[in-house]
Amino acid sequence: MTATAPARAPRRSAARRRLPGWEKWVIGAGIVLLVLYCLAPFYWMFVSSLKGPAEITTDRLWPEDPTLVNYRGVFGGANDFGYAVRNSVVIAVSTTVLAMAIATASSYALARLRFRGRNLLLALVLACSMFPGVAIVTPLYRLFSDWRWIDEYQAMVVPNISFALPLAIFVLTTFFREMPWELEEAARVDGCGPVGAFARVILPLAAPGVATTSLLVFFAAWNEYLISSVVSITLASTPVTVALAKFAGDTEFQQPFGSQMAAGVVVTLPLVVLVLLFQRRIVQGLSAGSHR
């Protein structure tokens, strides 16, 4: 009886082949150009926020005499920008919490339950995101006026939830479909009910996808302008996007270019901090579906 040779492992030279030197340079140059393209506007905004009134119209890459006078103008004078930041935090956090609660339950049902028309239902949810926001501004204003919601938080939170739900449900449904059924079945065998298995097993494993989707919803709510510009009137509900558009200078006759740039830095900084803090979660959530 002749011994058979052991099966050889599949060759991985194609997957692990080394790139030629010129390809590495091309890829590196492309990455550098992409980073510069993304960061250049924010850098120019930051540099302009440090320029005084005499330098604000110059094109220097760094001010000769950096100053924080524009930042003092943001939170002083007639702008009351601190109220706008508070309003945006309340609106964005409320939108994120409520939208994710609805999207998580809906996505889990669409991914796990077998019923007729579930793909059609998901398609209808996605179709809702095709309607432009400008088409519903007038009906929403009329409806919220009848409900006496004008200049109230809920007049911005409810539309933001409706705008965020289609994307959140689609992303989470795709994520839940990639999770193995065996984990939930094992929890049910151990005595967990449907809610317990979801809360103790499925939801912790879905944390990367939920965190990524939550950040996307938060960013969308933080940056929303169209509906807010119509239904917010006073400082009681005006978010940062509307306040920035109505920004005034430190004095009556001052052009608020520097203060607007400083306010733009203040508005953008929380988003940058969130991305840096949760970048690992974001990468895990965006790449979770590619592991299977």
Side-chain angles (χ1 to χ4, degrees), residues 71-290:
Y71 289 91
R72 289 194 291 269
V74 168
F75 294 99
N79 294 307
D80 294 317
F81 202 66
Y83 291 101
V85 173
R86 178 204 63 185
N87 295 335
S88 284
V89 170
V90 173
I91 294 169
V93 171
S94 301
T95 299
T96 303
V97 172
L98 295 175
M100 290 306 301
I102 300 172
T104 303
S106 304
S107 303
Y108 183 75
L110 288 172
R112 292 306 199 197
L113 299 181
R114 302 287 182 179
F115 58 91
R116 182 178 299 177
R118 67 170 185 168
N119 291 330
L120 177 60
L121 180 59
L122 181 60
L124 291 176
V125 170
L126 291 176
C128 294
S129 63
M130 298 174 60
F131 293 95
V134 69
I136 62 174
V137 169
T138 301
L140 283 180
Y141 183 82
R142 178 65 181 271
L143 180 65
F144 292 161
S145 296
D146 295 338
W147 291 354
R148 297 183 180 179
W149 278 15
I150 299 299
D151 209 29
E152 299 287 345
Y153 287 146
Q154 58 267 29
M156 288 161 280
V157 171
V158 172
N160 285 342
I161 292 175
S162 66
F163 296 151
L165 276 179
L167 176 62
I169 291 176
F170 175 75
V171 173
L172 288 178
T173 300
T174 304
F175 188 84
F176 281 131
R177 283 179 177 175
E178 297 294 331
M179 300 184 68
W181 280 87
E182 292 79 7
L183 297 174
E184 185 178 4
E185 293 175 353
R188 297 289 295 273
V189 170
D190 290 340
C192 289
V195 178
F198 173 75
R200 297 180 182 181
V201 178
I202 300 300
L203 197 56
L205 293 175
V210 173
T212 302
T213 310
S214 299
L215 288 176
L216 295 177
V217 173
F218 182 87
F219 293 164
W222 183 271
N223 294 324
E224 198 281 323
Y225 172 77
L226 182 61
I227 301 297
S228 301
S229 64
V230 175
V231 299
S232 62
I233 300 175
T234 66
L235 290 175
S237 66
T238 300
V240 291
T241 51
V242 179
L244 190 57
K246 300 178 180 179
F247 217 72
D250 232 357
T251 61
E252 183 179 357
F253 303 101
Q254 177 187 6
Q255 293 292 337
F257 298 131
S259 298
Q260 285 179 332
M261 295 298 102
V265 172
V266 173
V267 172
T268 309
L269 193 59
L271 307 184
V272 176
V273 172
L274 285 175
V275 171
L276 293 178
L277 289 177
F278 296 99
Q279 59 178 336
R280 182 174 300 179
R281 290 283 189 179
I282 294 174
V283 173
Q284 291 177 353
L286 293 177
S287 60
S290 62

Side-chain angles (χ1 to χ4, degrees), residues 43-70 254-259 261:
Y43 173 78
W44 188 252
M45 181 171 60
F46 175 70
V47 169
S48 300
S49 69
L50 298 178
K51 294 180 179 180
E55 288 188 271
I56 192 63
T57 57
T58 63
D59 56 356
R60 297 188 182 95
L61 295 179
W62 189 257
E64 291 184 356
D65 186 20
T67 177
L68 297 178
V69 64
N70 294 319
Q254 177 187 6
Q255 293 292 337
F257 298 131
S259 298
M261 295 298 102

